[in-house]
Coordinates of all heavy atoms in Angstrom, one line a residue:
C1 N 121.2 120.5 101.3 CA 121.1 119.6 102.4 C 119.7 118.9 102.3 O 118.7 119.5 102.0 CB 121.2 120.5 103.7 SG 120.7 119.5 105.2
V2 N 119.6 117.6 102.7 CA 118.5 116.9 102.6 C 117.6 117.1 103.9 O 118.2 117.0 104.9 CB 118.8 115.4 102.4 CG1 117.4 114.6 102.4 CG2 119.6 115.1 101.1
T3 N 116.3 117.4 103.8 CA 115.5 117.6 104.9 C 115.5 116.4 105.8 O 115.4 115.2 105.3 CB 114.0 117.9 104.5 OG1 114.1 118.9 103.6 CG2 113.3 118.1 105.6
G4 N 115.7 116.6 107.1 CA 115.6 115.5 108.1 C 117.0 114.8 108.3 O 117.1 114.1 109.2
V5 N 118.0 115.3 107.6 CA 119.4 114.7 107.8 C 120.0 115.4 108.9 O 120.1 116.6 109.0 CB 120.2 114.7 106.5 CG1 121.6 114.2 106.8 CG2 119.6 113.9 105.5
Q6 N 120.6 114.7 109.9 CA 121.4 115.2 111.0 C 122.8 114.6 111.0 O 123.0 113.5 110.4 CB 120.8 114.8 112.3 CG 119.4 115.2 112.6 CD 119.4 116.8 112.9 OE1 119.2 117.6 112.1 NE2 119.5 117.0 114.1
T7 N 123.8 115.3 111.4 CA 125.1 114.7 111.6 C 125.0 113.9 112.8 O 124.1 114.0 113.6 CB 126.2 115.8 111.6 OG1 125.9 116.6 112.7 CG2 126.3 116.5 110.3
C8 N 126.1 113.0 113.0 CA 126.1 112.1 114.1 C 126.1 112.9 115.5 O 126.9 113.9 115.5 CB 127.4 111.3 114.1 SG 127.1 109.6 113.5
A9 N 125.2 112.5 116.4 CA 125.1 113.2 117.7 C 125.3 112.2 118.7 O 124.9 111.1 118.7 CB 123.8 113.9 117.8
L10 N 126.1 112.7 119.8 CA 126.3 111.7 120.9 C 126.0 112.4 122.2 O 126.6 113.4 122.5 CB 127.9 111.4 120.9 CG 128.5 111.0 119.7 CD1 129.9 110.9 119.8 CD2 127.9 109.6 119.1
P11 N 125.1 112.0 123.0 CA 124.0 110.9 122.7 C 123.0 111.4 121.8 O 122.9 112.7 121.5 CB 123.5 110.6 124.1 CG 123.6 111.8 124.8 CD 124.9 112.5 124.3
I12 N 122.0 110.6 121.3 CA 120.9 111.1 120.6 C 120.1 112.0 121.5 O 120.0 111.7 122.7 CB 120.2 109.9 119.9 CG1 119.7 109.0 120.9 CG2 120.9 109.3 118.8 CD1 118.6 107.9 120.4
S13 N 119.3 112.8 120.9 CA 118.4 113.7 121.7 C 117.0 113.8 121.0 O 116.9 113.3 119.9 CB 119.0 115.1 121.9 OG 119.1 115.7 120.7
L14 N 116.1 114.4 121.7 CA 114.7 114.5 121.1 C 114.7 115.1 119.8 O 113.8 114.7 118.9 CB 113.9 115.3 122.0 CG 113.6 114.6 123.4 CD1 112.8 115.6 124.3 CD2 112.9 113.4 123.2
I15 N 115.7 116.1 119.4 CA 115.5 116.5 118.0 C 115.9 115.6 116.9 O 115.7 115.7 115.8 CB 116.5 117.8 117.8 CG1 118.0 117.4 118.0 CG2 116.2 118.9 118.8 CD1 119.1 118.4 117.6
D16 N 116.4 114.3 117.3 CA 116.8 113.4 116.3 C 115.6 112.4 116.1 O 115.7 111.7 115.1 CB 117.9 112.5 116.9 CG 119.2 113.2 117.1 OD1 119.6 114.0 116.2 OD2 119.9 113.1 118.1
A17 N 114.5 112.5 116.7 CA 113.3 111.7 116.5 C 112.8 111.8 115.2 O 112.7 113.0 114.6 CB 112.2 112.1 117.5
G18 N 112.7 110.7 114.4 CA 112.2 110.6 113.1 C 113.4 111.1 112.0 O 112.9 111.3 110.9
K19 N 114.4 111.3 112.5 CA 115.5 111.8 111.6 C 116.3 110.7 111.0 O 116.3 109.6 111.4 CB 116.5 112.8 112.3 CG 115.7 114.0 112.8 CD 115.5 115.0 111.8 CE 114.7 116.2 112.3 NZ 115.4 117.3 112.8
Y20 N 117.1 111.1 110.0 CA 118.1 110.3 109.3 C 119.4 110.8 109.7 O 119.8 111.9 109.3 CB 117.9 110.4 107.7 CG 118.9 109.7 107.0 CD1 118.6 108.2 106.6 CD2 120.0 110.3 106.4 CE1 119.5 107.7 105.8 CE2 120.9 109.6 105.6 CZ 120.6 108.3 105.2 OH 121.5 107.7 104.5
I21 N 120.2 110.0 110.5 CA 121.5 110.5 111.0 C 122.6 109.9 110.0 O 122.6 108.7 109.9 CB 121.7 110.1 112.5 CG1 120.7 110.8 113.3 CG2 123.1 110.5 112.9 CD1 120.7 110.2 114.8
N22 N 123.3 110.8 109.5 CA 124.5 110.4 108.5 C 125.7 110.6 109.2 O 126.1 111.7 109.5 CB 124.4 111.3 107.2 CG 125.4 110.9 106.2 OD1 125.9 109.8 106.3 ND2 125.6 111.8 105.3
C23 N 126.4 109.5 109.6 CA 127.7 109.4 110.3 C 128.8 109.5 109.3 O 129.0 108.6 108.5 CB 127.7 108.2 111.1 SG 126.6 108.3 112.6
T24 N 129.4 110.7 109.3 CA 130.5 110.9 108.4 C 132.0 111.0 109.0 O 132.8 111.4 108.4 CB 130.2 112.2 107.7 OG1 130.2 113.2 108.6 CG2 129.0 112.1 106.7
A25 N 132.0 110.6 110.4 CA 133.4 110.7 111.0 C 134.3 109.6 110.4 O 133.8 108.4 110.2 CB 133.0 110.4 112.5
G26 N 135.5 110.0 110.3 CA 136.5 109.1 109.8 C 137.0 108.1 110.8 O 137.7 107.1 110.6
T27 N 136.6 108.3 112.0 CA 136.9 107.4 113.2 C 135.7 106.8 113.8 O 134.6 107.2 113.5 CB 137.6 108.2 114.3 OG1 136.8 109.2 114.7 CG2 139.0 108.8 113.8
A28 N 135.9 105.7 114.7 CA 134.7 105.1 115.3 C 133.9 106.1 116.0 O 134.3 107.1 116.7 CB 135.3 104.1 116.2
V29 N 132.6 105.8 116.0 CA 131.5 106.6 116.6 C 130.6 105.8 117.4 O 130.2 104.7 117.0 CB 130.7 107.4 115.6 CG1 129.5 108.1 116.2 CG2 131.5 108.4 114.8
T30 N 130.3 106.2 118.6 CA 129.4 105.5 119.5 C 128.1 106.3 119.8 O 128.4 107.4 120.3 CB 130.1 105.0 120.8 OG1 131.2 104.1 120.6 CG2 129.1 104.3 121.8
I31 N 127.0 105.9 119.4 CA 125.8 106.5 119.6 C 125.2 106.0 120.8 O 124.9 104.8 120.9 CB 124.9 106.5 118.4 CG1 125.5 107.1 117.1 CG2 123.4 107.1 118.7 CD1 124.8 107.1 115.9
T32 N 124.9 107.0 121.8 CA 124.4 106.5 123.2 C 122.8 106.7 123.1 O 122.4 107.9 122.7 CB 124.9 107.3 124.3 OG1 126.4 107.0 124.3 CG2 124.4 106.8 125.6
I33 N 122.0 105.7 123.5 CA 120.6 105.9 123.6 C 120.3 106.3 125.1 O 120.6 105.4 126.0 CB 119.9 104.6 123.3 CG1 120.1 104.2 121.8 CG2 118.3 104.7 123.5 CD1 119.7 102.9 121.3
P34 N 119.8 107.5 125.3 CA 119.7 108.1 126.7 C 118.4 107.3 127.4 O 117.4 106.8 126.8 CB 119.4 109.4 126.6 CG 118.7 109.6 125.2 CD 119.3 108.5 124.3
L35 N 118.5 107.4 128.8 CA 117.4 107.0 129.5 C 116.1 107.9 129.2 O 116.3 109.0 128.8 CB 117.6 107.1 131.0 CG 118.3 106.1 131.7 CD1 118.9 106.6 133.1 CD2 117.6 104.8 131.8
N36 N 114.9 107.2 129.4 CA 113.7 108.1 129.2 C 113.7 109.3 130.0 O 113.1 110.3 129.6 CB 112.5 107.2 129.5 CG 111.2 107.8 129.0 OD1 110.9 107.9 127.8 ND2 110.4 108.2 129.9
A37 N 114.1 109.2 131.2 CA 114.1 110.2 132.2 C 115.0 111.5 131.7 O 114.7 112.7 131.8 CB 114.7 110.0 133.5
T38 N 116.1 111.2 130.7 CA 116.8 112.3 130.1 C 116.2 112.8 128.8 O 116.2 114.0 128.6 CB 118.2 111.6 129.8 OG1 118.8 111.2 131.0 CG2 119.1 112.8 129.2
A39 N 115.7 111.9 127.9 CA 115.0 112.3 126.7 C 113.9 111.4 126.5 O 113.9 110.1 126.2 CB 116.1 112.1 125.5
A40 N 112.7 111.9 126.8 CA 111.4 111.1 126.8 C 110.8 111.0 125.3 O 109.9 111.6 124.9 CB 110.4 111.7 127.7
F41 N 111.5 110.2 124.5 CA 111.0 109.9 123.1 C 109.8 109.2 123.3 O 109.6 108.3 124.1 CB 112.1 109.0 122.4 CG 113.3 109.6 122.0 CD1 114.4 109.4 122.9 CD2 113.4 110.4 120.8 CE1 115.6 109.9 122.4 CE2 114.7 110.9 120.5 CZ 115.8 110.7 121.2
P42 N 108.7 109.5 122.4 CA 107.5 108.8 122.4 C 107.8 107.3 122.0 O 108.6 107.1 121.1 CB 106.6 109.5 121.4 CG 107.3 110.8 121.2 CD 108.7 110.6 121.6
I43 N 107.0 106.4 122.5 CA 107.1 104.9 122.1 C 106.7 105.0 120.6 O 105.8 105.7 120.2 CB 106.1 104.0 122.9 CG1 106.7 104.2 124.4 CG2 106.2 102.7 122.4 CD1 106.5 103.1 125.3
S44 N 107.4 104.2 119.9 CA 107.3 104.0 118.3 C 108.2 104.9 117.7 O 108.2 105.0 116.4 CB 105.9 104.1 117.9 OG 105.1 103.0 118.3
T45 N 109.0 105.8 118.4 CA 109.9 106.8 117.7 C 110.9 105.9 116.9 O 111.3 104.9 117.4 CB 110.6 107.6 118.7 OG1 109.8 108.5 119.4 CG2 111.8 108.3 118.1
E46 N 111.2 106.3 115.7 CA 112.3 105.8 114.9 C 113.3 106.7 114.5 O 113.0 107.8 114.3 CB 111.7 105.0 113.7 CG 110.8 103.9 113.9 CD 110.3 103.2 112.7 OE1 110.6 103.8 111.5 OE2 109.6 102.3 112.8
I47 N 114.6 106.3 114.5 CA 115.8 107.1 114.1 C 116.5 106.2 113.2 O 117.0 105.1 113.6 CB 116.5 107.5 115.4 CG1 115.7 108.4 116.3 CG2 117.8 108.3 114.9 CD1 116.4 108.7 117.6
D48 N 116.8 106.7 111.9 CA 117.7 105.9 111.0 C 119.2 106.5 111.2 O 119.3 107.7 111.2 CB 117.1 106.1 109.6 CG 115.7 105.5 109.5 OD1 115.5 104.5 109.9 OD2 114.9 106.2 108.7
V49 N 120.0 105.5 111.1 CA 121.4 105.8 111.2 C 122.3 105.2 110.1 O 122.0 104.1 109.7 CB 122.1 105.4 112.5 CG1 123.6 105.7 112.6 CG2 121.3 106.0 113.7
W50 N 123.0 106.0 109.3 CA 123.6 105.5 108.1 C 125.2 105.7 108.4 O 125.6 106.8 108.9 CB 123.3 106.4 106.8 CG 124.1 106.2 105.6 CD1 125.1 106.9 105.3 CD2 123.9 105.2 104.7 NE1 125.7 106.5 104.1 CE2 124.9 105.4 103.6 CE3 123.1 104.0 104.6 CZ2 125.1 104.7 102.5 CZ3 123.3 103.4 103.4 CH2 124.2 103.6 102.4
Q51 N 126.0 104.8 108.0 CA 127.5 104.9 108.1 C 128.1 105.2 106.7 O 128.1 104.4 105.9 CB 128.1 103.5 108.7 CG 129.6 103.6 108.9 CD 130.1 102.3 109.4 OE1 129.5 101.7 110.3 NE2 131.1 101.9 108.9
D52 N 128.5 106.5 106.6 CA 128.9 106.9 105.3 C 130.3 106.7 105.0 O 130.7 106.7 103.8 CB 128.6 108.4 105.2 CG 128.4 108.9 103.8 OD1 127.9 108.1 102.9 OD2 128.9 110.0 103.4
V53 N 131.1 106.5 105.9 CA 132.6 106.3 105.8 C 133.1 105.1 106.7 O 132.3 104.4 107.2 CB 133.4 107.7 106.3 CG1 133.1 108.8 105.3 CG2 133.1 107.9 107.7
A54 N 134.3 104.9 106.6 CA 134.9 103.6 107.2 C 134.8 103.6 108.7 O 134.9 102.5 109.4 CB 136.4 103.4 106.8
G55 N 134.6 104.8 109.4 CA 134.7 104.8 110.9 C 133.4 104.0 111.5 O 132.3 104.3 111.2
V56 N 133.6 103.0 112.2 CA 132.5 102.0 112.7 C 131.5 102.8 113.5 O 132.0 103.5 114.5 CB 133.1 100.9 113.4 CG1 132.0 100.0 114.0 CG2 134.1 100.1 112.4
V57 N 130.3 102.6 113.4 CA 129.2 103.2 114.1 C 128.7 102.2 115.0 O 128.3 101.1 114.6 CB 128.0 103.9 113.3 CG1 127.0 104.3 114.2 CG2 128.6 104.9 112.4
S58 N 128.8 102.4 116.3 CA 128.2 101.5 117.4 C 127.2 102.1 118.2 O 127.1 103.4 118.3 CB 129.4 101.0 118.3 OG 130.4 100.3 117.6
F59 N 126.4 101.2 118.8 CA 125.2 101.7 119.7 C 125.4 101.2 121.2 O 125.9 100.1 121.2 CB 123.9 101.3 119.1 CG 123.8 101.7 117.6 CD1 124.1 100.7 116.7 CD2 123.2 103.0 117.3 CE1 123.9 101.1 115.3 CE2 123.1 103.3 116.0 CZ 123.4 102.5 115.1
V60 N 125.1 102.0 122.1 CA 125.1 101.7 123.5 C 123.9 102.3 124.1 O 123.6 103.4 123.9 CB 126.4 102.0 124.1 CG1 126.7 103.5 124.2 CG2 126.6 101.4 125.5
G61 N 123.4 101.6 125.2 CA 122.4 102.3 125.9 C 122.9 102.8 127.2 O 123.9 102.2 127.9
A62 N 122.4 104.1 127.6 CA 122.8 104.5 129.1 C 122.3 103.6 130.0 O 121.6 102.7 129.7 CB 122.1 105.9 129.1
G63 N 123.0 103.6 131.2 CA 122.6 102.7 132.3 C 121.2 102.6 132.5 O 120.5 103.6 132.7
G64 N 120.6 101.5 132.4 CA 119.2 101.3 132.6 C 118.4 101.2 131.3 O 117.2 100.8 131.3
V65 N 119.0 101.4 130.1 CA 118.4 101.2 128.8 C 118.7 99.8 128.4 O 119.9 99.3 128.3 CB 118.9 102.3 127.8 CG1 118.4 101.9 126.4 CG2 118.6 103.6 128.3
T66 N 117.6 99.2 127.8 CA 117.8 97.8 127.3 C 117.6 97.9 125.8 O 116.7 98.6 125.2 CB 116.6 96.9 127.9 OG1 116.6 96.8 129.2 CG2 116.7 95.5 127.2
I67 N 118.6 97.2 125.2 CA 118.6 97.3 123.6 C 118.5 95.7 123.2 O 119.3 94.9 123.6 CB 119.9 97.8 123.1 CG1 120.1 99.3 123.4 CG2 120.0 97.6 121.5 CD1 121.4 99.8 123.1
H68 N 117.5 95.5 122.3 CA 117.3 94.2 121.7 C 117.8 94.3 120.3 O 117.3 95.0 119.5 CB 115.9 93.7 121.8 CG 115.3 93.6 123.2 ND1 115.7 92.5 124.0 CD2 114.5 94.3 124.0 CE1 115.1 92.6 125.2 NE2 114.4 93.7 125.2
S69 N 118.8 93.5 120.0 CA 119.4 93.6 118.7 C 120.4 92.4 118.4 O 120.8 91.8 119.4 CB 120.2 94.8 118.5 OG 120.8 95.0 117.2
V70 N 120.5 92.1 117.1 CA 121.6 90.8 116.8 C 122.9 91.3 116.9 O 123.9 90.6 117.0 CB 121.3 90.3 115.4 CG1 119.9 89.7 115.3 CG2 121.5 91.4 114.3
G71 N 123.1 92.7 117.0 CA 124.5 93.2 117.1 C 124.4 94.8 117.5 O 123.3 95.4 117.5
L72 N 125.5 95.3 118.0 CA 125.5 96.8 118.3 C 126.3 97.5 117.5 O 126.6 98.7 117.9 CB 125.9 96.7 119.9 CG 124.9 96.1 120.8 CD1 125.4 96.2 122.3 CD2 123.6 96.9 120.7
S73 N 126.9 97.1 116.4 CA 127.7 98.0 115.4 C 127.1 97.8 114.1 O 126.8 96.7 113.7 CB 129.2 97.6 115.5 OG 129.7 97.8 116.8
L74 N 127.2 98.8 113.2 CA 126.9 98.6 111.8 C 128.1 97.8 111.2 O 129.1 97.8 111.6 CB 126.8 100.0 111.1 CG 125.6 100.8 111.5 CD1 125.6 102.2 110.9 CD2 124.4 100.1 111.1
A75 N 127.5 97.0 110.3 CA 128.4 95.9 109.6 C 129.6 96.5 108.8 O 130.7 95.9 108.9 CB 127.6 95.0 108.8
A76 N 129.4 97.7 108.2 CA 130.4 98.2 107.3 C 130.0 99.5 106.9 O 128.9 100.0 107.1 CB 130.7 97.2 106.2
Q77 N 130.9 100.2 106.1 CA 130.4 101.4 105.3 C 129.3 101.2 104.5 O 129.2 100.2 103.8 CB 131.7 101.9 104.5 CG 131.5 103.2 103.9 CD 132.8 103.6 103.1 OE1 133.7 102.8 103.0 NE2 132.9 104.8 102.7
Y78 N 128.5 102.2 104.3 CA 127.2 102.1 103.6 C 126.2 101.2 104.0 O 125.4 100.5 103.3 CB 127.6 101.8 102.1 CG 128.6 102.8 101.4 CD1 129.7 102.3 100.8 CD2 128.5 104.2 101.6 CE1 130.6 103.2 100.2 CE2 129.5 105.0 101.1 CZ 130.5 104.5 100.4 OH 131.4 105.4 99.9
R79 N 126.2 101.0 105.4 CA 125.2 100.1 106.0 C 124.4 101.1 106.9 O 124.8 102.2 107.3 CB 125.8 99.0 106.8 CG 126.7 98.1 106.0 CD 125.9 97.2 105.0 NE 126.6 96.1 104.5 CZ 127.3 96.2 103.4 NH1 127.3 97.3 102.7 NH2 127.9 95.0 102.9
A80 N 123.2 100.5 107.1 CA 122.2 101.4 108.0 C 121.4 100.6 109.0 O 121.4 99.4 109.0 CB 121.3 102.2 107.1
A81 N 120.9 101.3 110.0 CA 120.1 100.6 111.0 C 119.0 101.7 111.4 O 119.2 102.8 111.3 CB 120.9 100.2 112.2
T82 N 118.0 101.1 112.0 CA 116.8 101.9 112.5 C 116.7 101.6 114.0 O 116.7 100.5 114.5 CB 115.6 101.7 111.9 OG1 115.6 101.9 110.5 CG2 114.4 102.4 112.5
L83 N 116.8 102.6 114.8 CA 116.6 102.6 116.3 C 115.0 102.7 116.4 O 114.5 103.8 115.9 CB 117.3 103.6 117.0 CG 118.8 103.4 117.2 CD1 119.5 103.5 115.8 CD2 119.4 104.4 118.1
K84 N 114.4 101.8 117.2 CA 112.9 102.0 117.4 C 112.7 101.8 119.0 O 113.0 100.8 119.5 CB 112.2 101.0 116.6 CG 110.5 101.2 116.8 CD 109.9 100.3 115.8 CE 108.3 100.5 115.9 NZ 107.9 101.7 115.1
K85 N 111.9 102.9 119.5 CA 111.6 102.7 120.9 C 110.3 101.9 121.1 O 109.3 102.3 120.5 CB 111.4 104.2 121.5 CG 111.2 104.1 122.9 CD 111.2 105.5 123.6 CE 111.0 105.4 125.1 NZ 111.1 106.8 125.7
V86 N 110.5 100.9 121.8 CA 109.4 99.9 122.0 C 108.8 99.9 123.5 O 107.7 99.4 123.7 CB 109.7 98.5 121.5 CG1 110.0 98.6 120.1 CG2 110.8 98.0 122.4
G87 N 109.5 100.6 124.3 CA 109.1 100.5 125.8 C 109.8 101.8 126.4 O 110.6 102.6 125.9
T88 N 109.4 102.1 127.7 CA 109.9 103.3 128.3 C 111.4 103.4 128.2 O 112.0 104.4 127.8 CB 109.5 103.2 129.9 OG1 108.1 103.3 130.0 CG2 110.0 104.5 130.6
D89 N 112.2 102.4 128.6 CA 113.6 102.4 128.4 C 114.1 101.2 127.5 O 115.2 100.6 127.7 CB 114.3 102.4 129.7 CG 114.3 103.8 130.3 OD1 114.7 104.8 129.7 OD2 114.0 103.9 131.5
T90 N 113.3 100.8 126.6 CA 113.6 99.6 125.7 C 113.6 100.0 124.2 O 112.6 100.7 123.8 CB 112.6 98.4 125.9 OG1 112.6 98.1 127.4 CG2 113.0 97.3 125.2
W91 N 114.6 99.6 123.6 CA 114.8 99.9 122.1 C 115.1 98.7 121.3 O 115.8 97.8 121.8 CB 115.9 101.0 121.8 CG 115.6 102.4 122.4 CD1 115.6 102.7 123.7 CD2 115.3 103.4 121.8 NE1 115.3 104.0 123.8 CE2 115.1 104.5 122.6 CE3 115.2 103.8 120.3 CZ2 114.9 105.8 122.2 CZ3 114.8 105.0 120.0 CH2 114.7 106.1 120.8
H92 N 114.6 98.7 120.1 CA 115.1 97.6 119.1 C 116.0 98.3 118.1 O 115.7 99.4 117.8 CB 113.9 97.1 118.3 CG 112.9 96.2 119.2 ND1 111.9 95.6 118.6 CD2 113.1 95.8 120.4 CE1 111.2 95.0 119.6 NE2 112.0 95.0 120.7
I93 N 117.0 97.7 117.7 CA 117.8 98.2 116.6 C 117.8 97.2 115.6 O 118.2 95.9 115.6 CB 119.2 98.4 117.1 CG1 119.3 99.4 118.2 CG2 120.0 99.0 115.8 CD1 120.7 99.7 118.7
I94 N 117.3 97.6 114.3 CA 117.2 96.7 113.1 C 118.0 97.1 112.1 O 118.0 98.4 111.7 CB 115.6 96.8 112.7 CG1 114.8 96.5 113.9 CG2 115.3 95.9 111.6 CD1 113.6 97.4 114.0
G95 N 118.8 96.2 111.4 CA 119.5 96.6 110.2 C 120.7 95.8 110.0 O 120.7 94.6 110.5
A96 N 121.7 96.3 109.3 CA 122.9 95.6 108.9 C 123.9 95.7 110.1 O 124.7 96.7 110.2 CB 123.5 96.2 107.6
L97 N 123.8 94.8 111.1 CA 124.5 94.9 112.3 C 125.5 93.7 112.5 O 125.1 92.6 112.1 CB 123.5 95.0 113.5 CG 122.6 96.2 113.5 CD1 121.4 96.0 114.3 CD2 123.4 97.5 113.9
V98 N 126.5 93.9 113.2 CA 127.3 92.8 113.7 C 127.5 92.9 115.2 O 127.4 93.9 115.8 CB 128.7 92.7 112.9 CG1 128.5 92.4 111.5 CG2 129.4 94.0 113.1

């Protein structure tokens, strides 16, 4: 096992901060970014997400979470994105998105 690798978790939680999440589900997966009141990630927290199989990985914010991104799903298998917390309930998602 590679240090820092987590399997896909729904929603993400504080244990995912700074981790590399490897999504290996054969079906679609939606990763939910929780409100700060639920999981108070420090600002500048980064979480890397990798889509290892064909099951599409999508991102959604819990009610009240703002996501700035060009898309909310990974573009294809073997693509990745980084979630970065930039404000109390604001995140950027950077990567191979559609």
